[in-house]
Amino acid sequence: MREQALQQLRDVFGYGEFRGQQADIIDQVACGGDALVLMPTGGGKSLCYQLPALRFKGLTLVVSPLIALMKDQVDGLLANGVPAGLLNSTLTAQEANQVQDQARQGKIKILYVAPERLALSGFQRFLQSLDVSLIAIDEAHCISEWGHDFRPDYRNLKSLRKDFPGVPVIALTATATEPVREDIVNQLALDKPEIFIS
């Protein structure tokens, strides 16, 4: 399995080798396990869900509060030939509908969404129409009231575990104290997650 991941790392993303714990994290997630990943900014967090996403049959849902980062990630994935899309406040209603249609038709492999969307009942119905294989929560410290950047919208993420039982969840952040880590695990109802700290 790791050989295949390494091949995709080279062919799709153009990197020669994994860095740090990336390979172990990718193994954990690709085998269907939950993970909490603490990795400094620029450490290659996004590859920890983008590579497993290529292996899964369905769609990978990425929750991120950073609109500029979403666009960068999607542009980068599209440039590497990975069908990706985003749903956030920068899109017109028509553009959002187009992305949702593509996601329903299985034409998008990785879909980035803003956490605010998860509070909308129409959006929850849309999610139910998707074949979700992996859920990635970026900036996961935002879910914790013990963190420095608490966002109430992140509390709605717990519903993803109920809506998609059995789908692995990977939570990623650059910074989290011990209480914040415990809170992330509890709030997201992570199931016996491997915790990776680099």
Side-chain angles (χ1 to χ4, degrees):
M1 204 181 242
R2 194 166 285 196
E3 277 307 304
Q4 186 191 359
L6 189 57
Q7 201 57 53
Q8 287 178 318
L9 182 74
R10 289 170 180 160
D11 295 346
V12 179
F13 296 99
Y15 297 114
E17 296 296 333
F18 287 114
R19 281 197 285 173
Q21 295 178 298
Q22 278 179 330
D24 294 331
I25 297 165
I26 289 162
D27 279 351
Q28 168 73 4
V29 174
C31 292
D34 288 353
L36 172 59
V37 176
L38 262 83
M39 198 181 276
T41 304
K45 282 197 296 288
S46 52
L47 276 174
C48 296
Y49 57 80
Q50 289 173 349
L51 261 175
L54 300 180
R55 272 209 232 158
F56 288 124
K57 183 172 63 74
L59 174 135
T60 289
L61 184 70
V62 183
V63 180
S64 171
L66 306 172
I67 286 176
L69 181 78
M70 273 192 211
K71 181 162 173 18
D72 286 351
Q73 298 265 355
V74 169
D75 289 348
L77 287 164
L78 293 172
N80 287 325
V82 179
L86 58 81
L87 288 168
N88 61 34
S89 57
T90 65
L91 302 189
T92 65
Q94 191 179 355
E95 288 168 332
N97 287 336
Q98 196 177 355
V99 172
Q100 290 186 341
D101 287 343
Q102 289 175 328
R104 276 194 205 96
Q105 293 160 17
K107 292 180 178 170
I108 290 179
K109 200 76 191 137
I110 303 179
L111 178 64
Y112 287 79
V113 301
E116 297 76 25
R117 297 250 157 187
L118 294 161
L120 310 172
S121 58
F123 189 73
Q124 289 173 350
R125 280 196 300 280
F126 158 68
L127 286 181
Q128 289 302 313
S129 70
L130 303 178
D131 175 20
V132 175
S133 292
L134 173 63
I135 296 166
I137 312 289
D138 204 9
E139 307 296 327
H141 61 275
C142 294
I143 204 169
S144 174
E145 291 191 39
W146 312 114
H148 58 87
D149 194 18
F150 174 61
R151 308 240 183 149
D153 284 307
Y154 261 66
R155 291 290 183 167
N156 298 321
L157 299 186
K158 206 171 199 170
S159 67
L160 291 174
R161 181 57 7 125
K162 286 204 287 285
D163 294 342
F164 299 101
V167 171
V169 176
I170 176 172
L172 309 106
T173 178
T175 158
T177 59
E178 182 82 25
V180 171
R181 292 201 293 270
E182 286 173 16
D183 206 21
I184 291 169
V185 170
N186 292 333
Q187 291 297 331
L188 292 174
L190 298 184
D191 183 23
K192 298 193 279 293
E194 279 279 339
I195 296 177
F196 298 91
I197 300 175
S198 49

